[in-house]
Amino acid sequence: MTQLPAAQSASPRPADGGRALYGGKSNRRITVRDIALAKERGEKWPMLTAYDAMTASVFDEAGIPVMLVGDSAGNCHLGYDTTVPVTLDEMTMLSAAVVRGTGRALIVADLPFGSYQEGPVQALRSATKLVKEAGVGAVKLEGGERSHRQIELLVESGIPVMAHIGLTPQSVNAMGYRVQGRGEEAAQQLLRDAKAVQDAGAFAVVLELVPAELAAEVTRSLHIPTVGIGAGPDTDAQVLVWTDMLGLTGGRMPKFVKKYAELRQVMGDAAKAFAEDVVGGAFPQEEHSVH
């Protein structure tokens, strides 16, 4: 009998009676409860960014269980130099598109810079917009101890929160792009940040650009899942920006990125072939014409 790929076959059923996060079909969205169960049974899972309905639908069909509508869209799609200029309205539009393009994945949307730093009330107002107008299942915000009160109010209000510590790109003007948690004092602060977001009620925490040994220690110390990006192999999940993962992003890539395709080359070659056919009169032919 021919075996179907994991994303096409029925979801494997773990020993606890739940469904594995990666792969398979489902008649409902993955929830934060499913994420918690995966941590309990030691199941690793993938997360990718998505910013539009078509790309999101491809990842949903591939069985990706969690998609992040990241403010990384600022760099990848909106032409900004950093994530800082991204607005809440832009995040709402992009998030709604991703929700419309999916049926199974848990969709998490970033709260952009300036939409939650004033305090818990502003954070709740911003998160409510993403939940009500875009239909996301959770939001993500940056910061550990400093964001404790925002996370706490959102969770109390019924909005699941994914936290983000380590390198926090919205703080690029203050910290730059460099590894976080090196040295005893910095490592202890990262551990305090991790415990703070867990205590506040976050259902998961992203660890970005953190030494692998420290990320492993954080993962062991928490009962919520850790999601690594440049944080070594021992986190509970891994996330990549999809344009990096598929080789669409130009220029130098961070060390932690693994390219699984070279779409920039494929798309460039296709565009050149199309242009040459048009210039040379090879396209359109009779079969491409309407009569």
Side-chain angles (χ1 to χ4, degrees):
M1 179 182 293
T2 302
Q3 185 174 357
L4 293 173
Q8 301 288 332
S9 61
S11 298
R13 186 171 293 278
D16 64 5
R19 286 187 179 275
L21 291 183
Y22 167 64
K25 304 291 185 181
S26 177
N27 59 2
R28 65 168 178 84
R29 291 264 182 193
I30 287 170
T31 68
V32 296
R33 173 62 177 160
D34 298 313
I35 301 298
L37 289 173
K39 172 79 171 185
E40 291 178 11
R41 61 180 174 253
E43 177 192 343
K44 290 181 176 286
W45 46 273
M47 181 167 80
L48 286 172
T49 64
Y51 316 108
D52 64 90
M54 185 174 293
T55 304
S57 70
V58 173
F59 296 159
D60 206 42
E61 291 171 6
I64 300 298
V66 185
M67 290 183 222
L68 171 66
V69 189
D71 56 7
S72 50
N75 312 74
C76 300
H77 290 276
L78 301 179
Y80 301 136
D81 291 332
T82 70
T83 65
V84 173
V86 178
T87 68
L88 183 59
D89 284 341
E90 288 170 334
M91 288 303 306
T92 303
M93 178 192 67
L94 297 172
S95 299
V98 170
V99 171
R100 289 192 295 267
T102 57
R104 179 178 183 266
L106 171 65
I107 309 302
V108 182
D110 266 335
L111 288 177
F113 180 74
S115 70
Y116 62 95
Q117 281 83 357
E118 289 179 16
V121 174
Q122 185 199 28
L124 179 58
R125 186 182 308 117
S126 301
T128 298
K129 180 180 176 71
L130 287 169
V131 171
K132 287 176 67 70
E133 297 183 19
V136 302
V139 299
K140 181 171 75 65
L141 55 78
E142 296 182 358
E145 290 182 322
R146 63 184 168 87
S147 297
H148 179 279
R149 293 184 303 117
Q150 284 94 324
I151 296 171
E152 199 168 51
L153 180 59
L154 295 187
V155 174
E156 288 175 355
S157 302
I159 300 175
V161 177
M162 178 179 284
H164 184 153
I165 62 175
L167 174 66
T168 49
Q170 292 175 9
S171 302
V172 61
N173 292 326
M175 66 170 57
Y177 289 106
R178 58 188 177 86
V179 175
Q180 302 297 304
R182 281 182 172 157
E184 182 62 25
E185 183 178 347
Q188 289 304 312
Q189 181 60 57
L190 192 90
L191 284 163
R192 288 194 296 271
D193 284 337
K195 291 289 181 64
V197 299
Q198 176 177 267
D199 291 346
F203 74 89
V205 57
V206 172
L207 307 177
E208 181 167 359
L209 215 58
V210 172
E213 299 82 2
L214 179 57
E217 182 179 355
V218 172
T219 301
R220 288 191 300 268
S221 69
L222 298 183
H223 63 73
I224 62 173
T226 57
V227 183
I229 178 166
D234 295 320
T235 54
D236 298 298
Q238 297 288 335
V239 61
L240 285 176
V241 172
W242 84 260
T243 54
D244 295 346
M245 184 272 292
L246 287 174
L248 187 58
T249 307
R252 184 179 177 184
M253 287 291 97
K255 178 183 178 181
F256 59 77
V257 172
K258 179 177 179 178
K259 291 184 183 181
Y260 288 83
E262 290 288 352
L263 286 194
R264 194 174 187 90
Q265 183 68 46
V266 171
M267 292 174 70
D269 289 346
K272 290 176 183 177
F274 164 71
E276 289 168 3
D277 276 1
V278 171
V279 171
F283 177 83
Q285 294 293 316
E286 178 64 25
E287 63 267 29
H288 309 119
S289 302
V290 177
H291 298 283

